[in-house]
Amino acid sequence: PLSYTNQIIKPNRDRITRFYSAEVEIVEKEGQQNKFNAVGLRFKLTYYGRQEEKEHVYGFDVVNRFLLNERFKVIKKLDKAQQIALKAASINDTLEFSLDKHFGYQRILNTKDIRNHWKVVKEELISSYPDLNEMAEDFEWQIQEDRIQEFYKNDFFFNFLFASIYDVDFSNKS
């Protein structure tokens, strides 16, 4: 047999980057009307290995993020709120997650990096939109160390992505 046909892929032992795309839609009912928001993501997940016993570490990197209309077409002309939302969301462009043996979310590992990135984003937002200072202060409260883990733990997208539905043998046998 050819050498390349003998390759065994071991996604839980080797550092492997995989590319994905997702469309996340949120529809809220307000009286008789629905409020629609949707975002498209192209991202990659990279397996970094095990940090501690029975703990997987993954990197999550956003390649592209874009807002979608109700027909799931990319919105090309963004209003002020949409521009702010995309800019603020950029603090989630590079994340490191700890996952359990079922690939369920345990915690975010790079919280300091997120807060440092927020400082840069906050300055850019406030220089463009000075009226956002109060909102920015409220957001800083949300990403303090004692709150940020809960913030990501309750995020619908990451709960779906790391749904704790797999089982992995942590022994060296498989």
Side-chain angles (χ1 to χ4, degrees):
L2 300 172
S3 62
Y4 66 86
T5 61
N6 293 336
Q7 187 77 21
I8 297 174
I9 297 175
K10 298 178 182 176
N12 298 322
R13 300 285 186 260
D14 298 331
R15 184 178 172 138
I16 294 174
T17 299
R18 296 201 168 129
F19 294 84
Y20 299 92
S21 63
E23 294 173 351
V24 180
E25 172 186 353
I26 299 172
V27 180
E28 296 178 59
K29 200 131 178 96
E30 289 184 357
Q32 297 291 1
Q33 296 190 11
N34 290 333
K35 185 178 177 184
F36 178 87
N37 289 298
V39 64
L41 293 172
R42 292 187 187 128
F43 62 95
K44 57 185 178 175
L45 283 176
T46 303
Y47 180 67
Y48 292 148
R50 292 193 332 224
Q51 184 175 34
E52 295 176 14
E53 186 68 23
K54 298 186 179 182
E55 180 180 72
H56 292 287
V57 177
Y58 273 84
F60 173 89
D61 294 292
V62 173
V63 177
N64 282 355
R65 177 183 284 112
F66 40 89
L67 298 179
L68 302 169
N69 64 23
E70 290 185 23
R71 293 185 177 133
F72 292 97
K73 303 286 184 198
V74 175
I75 299 172
K76 294 182 180 175
K77 186 171 181 174
L78 302 174
D79 64 27
K80 177 182 174 181
Q82 292 167 328
Q83 291 172 24
I84 292 167
L86 279 181
K87 187 68 175 171
S90 71
I91 68 165
N92 296 312
D93 283 355
T94 302
L95 302 173
E96 290 179 14
F97 290 98
S98 166
L99 308 178
D100 64 21
K101 75 174 193 166
H102 302 290
F103 285 83
Y105 173 87
Q106 285 190 309
R107 68 187 198 281
I108 193 90
L109 299 173
N110 63 328
T111 57
K112 185 176 179 182
D113 296 335
I114 294 166
R115 282 190 294 281
N116 288 338
H117 190 194
W118 169 245
K119 289 177 187 176
V120 173
V121 168
K122 177 184 170 184
E123 284 183 30
E124 292 173 7
L125 284 173
I126 291 176
S127 70
S128 298
Y129 311 102
D131 56 321
L132 291 181
N133 198 36
E134 188 176 325
M135 183 276 312
E137 295 301 322
D138 181 55
F139 192 73
E140 282 187 12
W141 176 83
Q142 293 178 40
I143 62 171
Q144 290 175 2
E145 189 62 35
D146 58 336
R147 292 178 183 86
I148 196 166
Q149 295 299 338
E150 202 66 24
F151 179 76
Y152 284 98
K153 180 181 176 184
N154 293 325
D155 184 276
F156 291 124
F157 177 71
F158 294 117
N159 273 296
F160 178 78
L161 185 62
F162 304 121
S164 192
I165 59 174
Y166 303 100
D167 193 16
V168 177
D169 182 1
F170 278 92
S171 70
N172 290 326
K173 297 175 190 169
S174 64

